[in-house]
Every structure is written in C-alpha cells, then in structure tokens.
Amino acid sequence: MTKRTEGFARLDSLIEEHGESWLLSAFVSRIAEGEAPAVVSTGLGLPWFVMRSWLEDKPERMSQMELGKRCFADGLVWESLAAARDADSETVAVARLQADHFSKMAGRLSRDEWGDKQQVEIKTTHTVDIRGLLE
C-alpha cells in the first residue's frame, strides 16, 4: 500500500469517525491560527496531497480554506502593528523587518482586504461610425 493510498484510507476513516464538517473545521481553524497546511494535515495523519485533493474536490471546502487564510492574514496584520508599536531603539530594525514581512504576507493571503490597491483606468479615443451599418 502506498503512502497516497494509505492517506486516502485515513481520510475516509476520519470522515467516517468524525464527519466531514469536523475534519474541515479542525483543519481550517488551525490554518486560521497560522499553522502551515502541511503540518496540520500531517498532524491529522494525512499527507498534504491527500488533504489538498479533498479540499479542492468541492468549492465549499476551498471557500472555507480561503476563509482560514483570510483569518490568518488578519492575525498577521495585528502582529505587524504590535511589532511596530512595541519596538524600542534596540529592536526597531527587527520589528520593522517583521512588520514589513507580516504586512506583505497578509496582502498576499487576503488581497481584497490587506493587499495593495491598484486602480486601472482605461481611456479610449476611438470613434466608431455605425450609420453605414444601420442603413
């Protein structure tokens, strides 16, 4: 039996024992707290490939995964604020590095809320005469 096959068997076992909603909640809540997805899935006895395959199998599961990542992004923003706020003259360089990195990662994880806003403006100067087409 391969690790992949064993992983899917373990997934089926977890779902049978606890239910899909429990598994999804157990996984996503730990992602929201900042644990790495591979670490969480391994902690549940599942290879990351198996967990990712299961998540991607239904849009509702991926929606919950995205929510977990957005929650983690929120936490990163608050941590960056705390790092900047709590810095003193000896720790300001490290605090700045942390705050910048946390903010950047939050923007990647939750572009709509914490990412850099970019406004795209399109102007056109082309005129189309449709009179000939209408006649």
Side-chain angles (χ1 to χ4, degrees), residues 32-92:
E33 294 299 317
E35 288 189 62
V39 172
V40 176
S41 60
T42 302
L44 293 168
L46 301 169
W48 172 227
F49 173 83
V50 170
M51 188 61 158
R52 179 74 186 234
S53 298
W54 181 73
L55 288 168
E56 289 185 359
D57 193 36
K58 289 189 178 175
E60 302 84 34
R61 292 183 195 138
M62 283 307 291
S63 165
Q64 288 297 302
M65 175 68 169
E66 293 302 318
L67 174 61
K69 291 190 322 188
R70 288 192 309 272
C71 290
F72 176 51
D74 292 347
L76 286 175
V77 168
W78 300 120
E79 284 186 51
S80 72
L81 290 172
R85 181 189 59 229
D86 298 340
D88 58 27
S89 61
E90 293 178 9
T91 61
V92 71

Side-chain angles (χ1 to χ4, degrees), residues 1-134:
M1 190 178 258
T2 66
K3 187 169 185 157
R4 182 177 171 172
T5 307
E6 289 172 6
F8 281 105
R10 171 76 176 138
L11 175 68
D12 292 339
S13 173
L14 282 172
I15 291 171
E16 186 177 312
E17 185 177 345
H18 301 288
E20 281 191 27
S21 62
W22 174 87
L23 180 58
L24 186 59
S25 178
F27 181 79
V28 171
S29 62
R30 290 174 63 183
I31 297 303
E33 294 299 317
E35 288 189 62
V39 172
V40 176
S41 60
T42 302
L44 293 168
L46 301 169
W48 172 227
F49 173 83
V50 170
M51 188 61 158
R52 179 74 186 234
S53 298
W54 181 73
L55 288 168
E56 289 185 359
D57 193 36
K58 289 189 178 175
E60 302 84 34
R61 292 183 195 138
M62 283 307 291
S63 165
Q64 288 297 302
M65 175 68 169
E66 293 302 318
L67 174 61
K69 291 190 322 188
R70 288 192 309 272
C71 290
F72 176 51
D74 292 347
L76 286 175
V77 168
W78 300 120
E79 284 186 51
S80 72
L81 290 172
R85 181 189 59 229
D86 298 340
D88 58 27
S89 61
E90 293 178 9
T91 61
V92 71
V94 172
R96 181 176 182 177
L97 176 66
Q98 288 176 330
D100 288 349
H101 182 71
F102 291 166
S103 295
K104 194 179 296 184
M105 282 305 300
R108 288 182 180 157
L109 291 167
S110 182
R111 290 190 192 279
D112 289 341
E113 194 165 1
W114 302 114
D116 292 335
K117 306 291 188 251
Q118 294 182 5
Q119 190 170 355
V120 177
E121 188 176 319
I122 299 173
K123 292 183 179 181
T124 181
T125 58
H126 298 287
T127 307
V128 178
D129 185 9
I130 63 169
R131 285 182 277 175
L133 294 173
L134 294 174

